[in-house]
Amino acid sequence: MANGTEPQPFEGNWIAQWESTKPLTDKWMTVGEIHYFSSHGFILITDGHAVWKINGQSVYVAFGHLLAIEENTVIEVIEGGNLDLAGWLIHFQTYSLFSKERAVVKFDWHVPVGGTYQIMQVTGGFLTSISDRLSEDMPQDSGKRMVGNQHLVNELLKQGYQAEAKEQQTTEKGILRSIAYIQEHYDEVITREQLAQVAGVSQWHYSRKFSELCGKPPLDYLANYRIYRAQEELLLTSASSQEIAKKVGFEDAHYFSRRFKHFAGVSPKNYAPTLQQRRILAISPLCAEVLIVLGIIPHAVMATPFLLPEHQRQLFQKHGVTLLEVPQYMIPVEVIRQEQPELIIGRLLTEETKRRLRTIAPILTGFPNDLDILLNQFAALFDKKEAATKRQLQMKQEIYTAKDQLQAIIHSAATVMVLRVEPFGYRYLGGYSSGVSQLLYKKLELSLPESLKAGEAWFNPCSIEQLSMANPDYLFVEKRMMENFSAEENMQKLMANSQWKKLKAVKNKRVFYIDTSLWVDGCGVVGQSIILNQIVRSLVSS
């Protein structure tokens, strides 16, 4: 500038400029893939879940999440290949407007809540509205297209700023802060005075309010929390009691042992052998099924009713397992707390959910979707190696029998594809994952169409053109089951498409319709046998 001063923007006057909108590709589900944001962005998750590392911080994302991402952000995929992830990526830039020169320069935008990213849970109505708009064909008129895209960015920004409103500080929030402090520093010396200071209230008031909220005094709560972490260490490591005592915050190993026995009824040394008799709650029906097959009956299992396959429902009823019915993608912590479990077992959990569950019982999580690995891990944990080996031999024999029946198809190199029809698009089952993918393409040695072999995720995005190019000899079709969303409209669009009618599988009447609850959510020890029978019956009789 001639006067040596920088131009000043109108106060608070900046605009967001849409850049691009793209569906998430399989690279967002491929472990180790790294995505760099050269501009700001939004990620809308329309199905499934995954674990990413955003600027070095591990983050769990799931259906209904809207992420606001600042430019220069780096996202690494940690887990997502077999977790059904689908969604949209929207990029935008921000600019300042200046008063005198009317110049437009880049505006240094930051997410409303601080940090470099923000995660919001959007409502079903908003998700449906935005997803439908993203899935529609854009108008040819460039002006209309630009207005539509700008409106989309503004709506997404509005969601972020609505979530910004600061909450009033209350005593209860102070106590919750002190609980978070316990969880972060339980291995250190912690006093009631420290906790009261963290909560921002007097010691007397803190102890009274803490007991009202949590049902026990703060130091008892701390001791229980330390014992839960010690129980996890005893199950997952080979460390000595003395090492574990120090790791969880007990300086005196003898005091730790006495406190542990008072709490768990047995000494640390004798804890693991009692695991089978303890009150186990499974937050995954697959985990519960494997436990029952090994002769361990959990007290309760959490499941979404319409996604629970009939064989699992019957199995749980037969063995008197309490069924906790929950919405899809939801883990209601208070429902679990009411069941008073002594051990919680599950697969993938958010860090926030794990933090809350760890105040209830020891938790064992992160178990794989691979059935053979899961059997081996549970066998080692519960000392059931003989039962696991017996089941694995039985499963191998079932595979051998099925392969024998499918020899003609296997040797002919006929191609087999699984197409998923979703409320927001289409995807296909990749050939390098677990569950049914491993069953079809590794164990049964059936052939995936050549053009689909590049897909590394469990379910990969699929266009009508990709389906036409794959042109499978046999086609299994899954109409995706989701709470509050229907895939029926996309199913009808598919059937009416001229490309669909030209497919070899369609013309030869080799299209078979499969159930999400069984093929996707129910491929356990019992479920695999049922799926095998369906595969053989479908392919051989067509």
Side-chain angles (χ1 to χ4, degrees):
M1 300 297 294
N3 60 7
T5 61
E6 291 295 323
Q8 297 300 307
F10 292 121
E11 187 175 347
N13 200 352
W14 59 273
I15 60 171
Q17 174 69 55
W18 170 86
E19 275 194 342
S20 65
T21 301
K22 301 173 183 176
L24 295 182
T25 65
D26 60 340
K27 297 302 181 185
W28 285 91
M29 296 163 261
T30 304
V31 174
E33 282 290 327
I34 295 176
H35 303 271
Y36 174 73
F37 282 66
S38 58
S39 58
H40 307 304
F42 287 104
I43 301 176
L44 182 67
I45 308 298
T46 58
D47 191 12
H49 48 175
V51 177
W52 295 337
K53 189 172 282 186
I54 305 180
N55 294 332
Q57 183 175 352
S58 182
V59 176
Y60 174 89
V61 297
F63 165 78
H65 279 173
L66 173 65
L67 287 78
I69 308 289
E70 289 184 11
E71 65 179 354
N72 299 321
T73 288
V74 176
I75 298 182
E76 180 184 357
V77 180
I78 303 300
E79 187 169 354
N82 61 350
L83 299 177
D84 278 351
L85 187 74
W88 294 88
L89 174 61
I90 300 99
H91 281 293
F92 66 98
Q93 290 282 8
T94 51
Y95 300 95
S96 291
L97 299 179
F98 287 83
S99 54
K100 292 181 181 178
E101 296 75 12
R102 295 298 185 190
V104 179
V105 299
K106 197 168 180 181
F107 174 70
D108 188 20
W109 179 80
H110 296 284
V111 295
V113 297
T116 58
Y117 68 92
Q118 175 183 355
I119 300 180
M120 298 152 274
Q121 181 72 50
V122 297
T123 63
F126 179 84
L127 181 62
T128 303
S129 169
I130 294 295
S131 298
D132 287 347
R133 197 181 316 169
L134 290 168
S135 301
E136 288 174 358
D137 293 329
M138 294 301 292
Q140 295 299 313
D141 184 286
S142 60
K144 289 182 180 178
R145 188 162 62 246
M146 179 58 70
V147 169
N149 288 324
Q150 284 299 119
H151 183 58
L152 170 65
V153 170
N154 290 338
E155 280 192 77
L156 296 176
L157 282 168
K158 184 179 177 182
Q159 289 288 317
Y161 283 98
Q162 285 176 340
E164 182 193 16
K166 295 190 184 296
E167 297 179 342
Q168 226 177 357
Q169 292 299 316
T170 64
T171 300
E172 182 174 322
K173 287 187 175 67
I175 290 171
L176 293 176
R177 275 200 311 275
S178 73
I179 290 175
Y181 184 86
I182 286 173
Q183 294 174 350
E184 291 172 13
H185 302 277
Y186 68 91
D187 57 337
E188 304 171 9
V189 175
I190 298 178
T191 66
R192 189 176 61 174
E193 181 181 9
Q194 282 177 284
L195 296 174
Q197 286 177 350
V198 170
V201 296
S202 69
Q203 286 190 55
W204 177 84
H205 189 59
Y206 173 74
S207 294
R208 184 169 63 85
K209 286 296 183 181
F210 190 102
S211 296
E212 287 176 7
L213 184 65
C214 302
K216 56 176 67 71
L219 295 185
D220 284 355
Y221 183 98
L222 170 61
N224 288 1
Y225 189 83
R226 286 169 166 166
I227 297 297
Y228 292 149
R229 303 292 72 76
Q231 289 173 327
E232 291 172 7
E233 292 290 325
L234 286 165
L235 297 175
L236 299 175
T237 73
S238 58
S240 68
S241 291
Q242 189 167 2
E243 291 170 327
I244 291 172
K246 190 170 184 179
K247 188 173 183 179
V248 301
F250 288 95
E251 289 297 324
D252 186 336
H254 294 294
Y255 175 69
F256 162 69
S257 185
R258 289 199 307 273
R259 196 73 191 245
F260 189 101
K261 187 170 184 178
H262 175 76
F263 187 81
V266 293
S267 67
K269 182 179 179 180
N270 294 323
Y271 171 67
T274 70
L275 209 55
Q276 296 179 40
Q277 288 76 48
R278 295 195 176 269
R279 196 175 172 93
I280 300 171
L281 189 148
I283 55 176
S284 156
L286 175 64
C287 288
E289 178 181 328
V290 173
L291 285 173
I292 292 172
V293 164
L294 292 177
I296 302 149
I297 311 303
H299 160 70
V301 59
M302 225 172 55
T304 301
F306 74 92
L307 288 176
L308 187 66
E310 188 56 33
H311 76 272
Q312 286 182 348
R313 187 183 298 276
Q314 291 177 1
L315 191 67
F316 301 153
Q317 287 177 345
K318 177 182 177 182
H319 292 280
V321 180
T322 300
L323 183 61
L324 305 177
E325 298 186 353
V326 298
Q328 192 175 16
Y329 300 119
M330 292 285 288
I331 299 181
V333 174
E334 290 312 310
V335 171
I336 294 174
R337 191 186 304 278
Q338 289 171 14
E339 294 298 319
Q340 299 180 323
E342 295 177 274
L343 179 66
I344 299 171
I345 287 184
R347 294 193 57 247
L348 191 67
L349 292 174
T350 69
E351 288 302 315
E352 171 62 18
T353 301
K354 281 196 280 190
R355 185 184 69 77
R356 295 176 67 194
L357 288 179
R358 280 184 159 152
T359 67
I360 300 171
I363 63 170
L364 303 180
T365 184
F367 292 105
N369 208 34
D370 186 291
L371 191 53
D372 289 319
I373 296 175
L374 190 60
L375 269 167
N376 288 334
Q377 288 184 343
F378 279 7
L381 189 63
F382 292 94
D383 193 22
K384 289 286 185 178
K385 292 183 181 178
E386 186 177 336
T389 301
K390 183 177 178 181
R391 275 293 181 171
Q392 286 168 327
L393 289 172
Q394 181 182 331
M395 289 161 61
K396 284 180 181 177
Q397 181 58 48
E398 290 173 352
I399 296 288
Y400 178 82
T401 301
K403 279 184 69 175
D404 188 55
Q405 294 173 289
L406 294 171
Q407 278 303 307
I409 293 171
I410 294 169
H411 289 305
S412 72
T415 56
V416 179
M417 176 181 177
V418 178
L419 177 71
R420 167 177 285 179
V421 181
E422 302 180 327
F424 311 118
Y426 307 96
R427 283 193 280 172
Y428 71 90
L429 182 70
Y432 308 101
S433 189
S434 55
V436 176
S437 169
Q438 191 176 81
L439 185 62
L440 283 168
Y441 304 119
K442 184 178 179 182
K443 294 180 179 178
L444 292 178
E445 299 180 10
L446 293 166
S447 298
L448 181 69
E450 188 66 32
S451 63
L452 302 181
K453 288 182 179 179
E456 297 181 40
W458 190 19
F459 278 94
N460 302 269
C462 185
S463 64
I464 300 295
E465 290 71 26
Q466 281 177 292
L467 174 61
S468 178
M469 187 181 297
N471 197 14
D473 295 292
Y474 300 89
L475 180 61
F476 291 96
V477 178
E478 174 212 346
K479 186 162 70 173
R480 175 69 167 156
M481 297 167 65
M482 291 181 70
E483 209 157 40
N484 304 317
F485 297 95
S486 172
E488 187 58 41
E489 185 178 346
N490 272 346
M491 180 69 85
Q492 291 176 5
K493 285 181 182 178
L494 178 66
M495 302 284 185
N497 192 288
S498 59
Q499 302 274 34
W500 167 262
K501 297 171 184 176
K502 294 176 184 177
L503 294 176
K504 286 187 290 187
V506 174
K507 289 193 290 187
N508 295 325
K509 297 183 178 179
R510 291 173 174 173
V511 178
F512 317 105
Y513 296 91
I514 58 176
D515 187 356
T516 296
S517 65
L518 176 62
W519 278 57
V520 177
D521 294 287
C523 189
V525 179
V526 180
Q528 180 174 284
S529 298
I530 299 171
I531 295 169
L532 269 176
N533 289 334
Q534 287 187 7
I535 292 170
V536 172
R537 188 168 63 249
S538 299
L539 300 187
V540 171
S541 63
S542 60

